Amino acid sequence: MGGAGLDGLPGWVTLLRAPNPGPMTLDGTNTWVLRAPGEDHGVVVDPGPLDEGHLARIAERGPFHFILVTHGHHDHVEGAARLSEMLGGTAVLAADPAHCVGAEPLDPAEKLGGGGLEIQVLDTPGHTADSVCFLVECGNEQVMLTGDTILGRGTTVVAKPDGDLGDYLRSLDVLAAYGKVSMLPGHGPVRADVAAVAREYREHRRERLAQVEAAMAAGADTPEKVVDLVYPEIEPRLRFAAEWSAAAQLDYLRHKNRESGTPADRLDRL
Ligand SMILES: [Zn+2]
């Protein structure tokens, strides 16, 4: 573990956790500061919410080449424009042009260089349509920043309005192909092996899909009815998230069944 810090992180990675804990954010949003040894300029990933104290703590660790955003949910990007301003106009790079400041949108498959860091942008839609991951290399060490595509614990939500379970499963396949790379998630703790966690997530999704398929066969035809059957113990405050997941699973299964249906089934649906 050359250069590893207390929690197994390489010495060039710092975690600043935003003070926004909650049912969807776990302990709060993880803001990551990356700076290669001996370099003046670092890189920030996911500035987090518009919280002046949190943003000031990030700014103290500047200067930065740029600010990266994993996806457009407000708990990751809300503070980005303000942080850029505090830093005197540092560019914000996101896949969605709406969140960029002074830069073109990220091009998936793009490689960004900055002060001893090599950053590969991976197109990983599913949690949202604009979700990307960043594979960052510094010397002979690599980390994968996964945003909300994979969290440090629990599962993520294929979120309304633009999440898509088919895309999400393909994105997990992409991450599962990476081997043993440390994973820096948007929420929750660091994990030692992104590929292993991606495989666990895939397995969990398959189990859930089988349960939803059984619920559909038992007559559940709305997200509400699926949640009643598949997540009977759900906490009331998390029910909306379970209904989002159920809606995404119903969409996915209906689409799959249409594609694999018999010709007669297809005619029925014309
Ligand atoms: Zn999110």
Side-chain angles (χ1 to χ4, degrees), residues 126-201:
H127 169 68
T128 60
D130 71 340
S131 289
V132 295
C133 293
F134 300 110
L135 178 68
V136 183
E137 204 171 305
C138 179
N140 58 2
E141 292 178 306
Q142 285 186 320
V143 294
M144 181 75 82
L145 291 108
T146 55
D148 286 359
T149 298
I150 304 186
L151 305 181
R153 66 168 189 275
T155 59
T156 196
V157 169
V158 174
K160 274 188 174 174
D162 62 343
D164 181 279
L165 186 54
D167 286 347
Y168 186 67
L169 293 171
R170 281 187 288 279
S171 293
L172 291 180
D173 288 344
V174 167
L175 293 171
Y178 268 90
K180 196 172 175 190
V181 174
S182 294
M183 182 189 109
L184 314 183
H187 305 275
V190 173
R191 302 287 295 267
D193 183 343
V194 69
V197 187
R199 287 194 297 270
E200 281 168 28
Y201 264 54

Side-chain angles (χ1 to χ4, degrees), residues 3-259:
L6 277 181
D7 44 9
L9 285 176
W12 48 279
V13 174
T14 305
L15 168 60
L16 298 173
R17 187 163 281 153
N20 62 339
M24 301 299 286
T25 56
L26 305 179
D27 325 280
T29 301
N30 293 336
T31 296
W32 298 101
V33 172
L34 314 174
R35 176 175 282 99
E39 293 287 338
D40 286 343
H41 284 70
V43 170
V44 180
V45 181
D46 283 349
L50 186 53
D51 178 285
E52 287 287 319
H54 177 62
L55 297 175
R57 281 201 301 148
I58 303 170
E60 273 168 23
R61 293 177 180 263
F64 301 107
H65 286 292
F66 40 73
I67 299 161
L68 295 173
V69 167
T70 58
H71 67 297
H73 279 160
H74 66 91
D75 57 320
H76 294 256
V77 77
E78 189 186 41
R82 174 69 181 129
L83 178 64
S84 165
E85 186 183 271
M86 285 167 136
L87 292 165
T90 300
V92 179
L93 283 65
D96 182 346
H99 298 300
C100 294
V101 176
E104 292 295 307
L106 286 171
D107 180 8
E110 185 174 9
K111 271 204 170 157
L112 304 166
L117 302 173
E118 188 161 297
I119 303 171
Q120 173 83 51
V121 184
L122 305 179
D123 188 22
T124 52
H127 169 68
T128 60
D130 71 340
S131 289
V132 295
C133 293
F134 300 110
L135 178 68
V136 183
E137 204 171 305
C138 179
N140 58 2
E141 292 178 306
Q142 285 186 320
V143 294
M144 181 75 82
L145 291 108
T146 55
D148 286 359
T149 298
I150 304 186
L151 305 181
R153 66 168 189 275
T155 59
T156 196
V157 169
V158 174
K160 274 188 174 174
D162 62 343
D164 181 279
L165 186 54
D167 286 347
Y168 186 67
L169 293 171
R170 281 187 288 279
S171 293
L172 291 180
D173 288 344
V174 167
L175 293 171
Y178 268 90
K180 196 172 175 190
V181 174
S182 294
M183 182 189 109
L184 314 183
H187 305 275
V190 173
R191 302 287 295 267
D193 183 343
V194 69
V197 187
R199 287 194 297 270
E200 281 168 28
Y201 264 54
R202 238 172 18 189
E203 194 47 42
H204 171 77
R205 288 287 163 178
R206 281 204 198 101
E207 284 167 14
R208 278 287 188 231
L209 278 170
Q211 291 173 321
V212 173
E213 223 161 2
M216 283 169 85
D221 54 0
T222 64
E224 295 76 19
K225 289 181 194 165
V226 168
V227 170
D228 288 341
L229 285 176
V230 175
Y231 307 84
E233 313 276 293
I234 191 82
E235 284 178 59
R237 64 180 185 146
L238 292 178
R239 191 174 166 99
F240 76 98
E243 288 185 4
W244 284 0
S245 283
Q249 286 163 320
L250 279 172
D251 282 352
Y252 175 80
L253 289 168
R254 284 179 180 141
H255 186 72
K256 203 177 97 186
N257 292 343
R258 260 198 305 280
E259 288 193 336

